Amino acid sequence: MLSPVTVVGGAGRTGRLVARRLLAAGAEVRVASRSATRGAKDLVADGARAFDVDVRDGSGLEAALAGARAVVYSVEPGTDNSGPNRPETTMYQGVRRVLELCPPDLGRFVLVSSIYVTHPEHQFNEWGRLLDWRLRGEDAVRASGLPYTVIRPSWLIDRHNRGIAAVRLGQGDQGDGQVSREDVAEACVQAIALPEAAGLTFEMYNKAGAAPDSWSPLFSALVKDDVLTH
Ligand SMILES: NC(=O)c1ccc[n+]([C@@H]2O[C@H](COP(=O)([O-])OP(=O)(O)OC[C@H]3O[C@@H](n4cnc5c(N)ncnc54)[C@H](OP(=O)(O)O)[C@@H]3O)[C@@H](O)[C@H]2O)c1
């Protein structure tokens, strides 16, 4: 497992599940969010370090990212049309700030994005052009030259329903459905652990069946991104 790992948004519902799984796997975990020292005391008690950061102005990020070997970015976007809580600041500028501060030998950058980012006509885009800025943030990750994985969860629920524990990964942003935060967190951890997850963008859904024994076949069945580097 790559370590240390900085989880930006690590005090959030998905982020803290990522942090817990990484701690269980023996990684050094840094939980970073605006109020991480207050909101992630339980994770600190279990061995994580907390960093108060704000991706909107970059405060605290340098210390949180120094020497990191992997980064997970799972930040709530804000939905205002103007002012600091607009998706442009969190989903695009914030992503770029974090990318710029990543060490050059970073082993994986995992971005938690969303389904529907390629559908600007979707009603979610009426909130601060949320989908447009998410896609711009994804594009910045894909163009960064860092080894990355972009995860687009469908609608989040805390836990999958009984018997709906299997995971479907899709590409092309054509699906709809639900996925549990637990499974998204597991996907983040597996994306850090497995080399075959590098260079992938995929949507995520739960479906009927059992949880995957191994994520390697799921990642290997996907098509790598065709990233223009010139
Ligand atoms: N809800 C859905 O159905 C759905 C579907 C697809 C994708 N998603 C996306 O999946 C991701 C995870 O969702 P979630 O529900 O687990 O999120 P969440 O519980 O709202 O957690 C978001 C985290 O972002 C941090 N944060 C917010 N603004 C920040 C800033 N300016 N700088 C640094 N940290 C900041 C928050 O902590 P502080 O308050 O301490 O800063 C919190 O730790 C989000 O990007 C979400 O939009 C959601």
Side-chain angles (χ1 to χ4, degrees):
M1 180 63 69
L2 295 166
S3 179
V5 186
T6 302
V7 186
V8 185
R13 286 164 290 182
T14 304
R16 65 173 42 250
L17 296 174
V18 175
R20 283 233 166 276
R21 281 167 158 73
L22 290 168
L23 286 170
E28 187 187 315
V29 178
R30 301 171 181 177
V31 174
S33 79
R34 290 167 302 180
S35 53
T37 50
R38 240 181 332 109
K41 285 187 178 146
D42 55 325
L43 294 167
V44 171
D46 288 341
R49 289 179 67 197
F51 293 79
D52 288 339
V53 309
D54 193 332
V55 300
R56 297 171 301 180
D57 61 12
S59 59
L61 283 176
E62 205 168 327
L65 292 164
R69 297 285 292 118
V71 170
V72 177
Y73 192 100
S74 177
V75 170
E76 190 53 27
T79 51
D80 293 352
N81 284 314
S82 58
N85 289 319
R86 63 191 200 283
E88 180 182 4
T89 62
T90 49
M91 295 293 100
Y92 176 60
Q93 293 168 351
V95 170
R96 290 193 51 178
R97 278 197 186 90
V98 172
L99 287 169
E100 278 162 17
L101 289 169
C102 283
D105 64 344
L106 194 84
R108 184 73 86 251
F109 189 102
V110 180
L111 177 68
V112 179
S113 181
S114 168
I115 59 166
Y116 282 121
V117 290
T118 64
H119 296 266
E121 72 287 357
H122 192 277
Q123 60 179 9
F124 272 23
N125 217 19
E126 289 165 21
W127 299 338
R129 291 180 50 215
L130 169 60
L131 299 172
D132 293 345
W133 290 116
R134 270 201 191 278
L135 185 59
R136 293 276 303 271
E138 284 191 6
D139 286 342
V141 171
R142 285 185 283 264
S144 66
L146 295 169
Y148 70 84
T149 308
V150 174
I151 301 176
R152 295 171 169 170
S154 49
W155 310 120
L156 290 173
I157 52 176
D158 279 336
R159 288 191 184 75
H160 44 240
N161 298 313
R162 192 199 293 233
I164 319 283
V167 166
R168 181 170 78 80
L169 306 185
Q171 287 180 302
D173 199 11
Q174 295 303 316
D176 200 357
Q178 289 184 330
V179 66
S180 76
R181 288 184 170 86
E182 288 181 330
D183 289 314
V184 174
E186 184 61 24
C188 292
V189 173
Q190 295 290 338
I192 293 170
L194 296 174
E196 50 272 45
L200 292 176
T201 299
F202 57 85
E203 297 87 46
M204 242 191 110
Y205 317 86
N206 280 127
K207 64 174 185 177
D213 291 330
S214 164
W215 286 68
S216 183
L218 294 173
F219 292 145
S220 298
L222 299 174
V223 178
K224 299 264 185 201
D225 295 332
D226 187 10
V227 179
L228 291 176
T229 52
H230 54 274

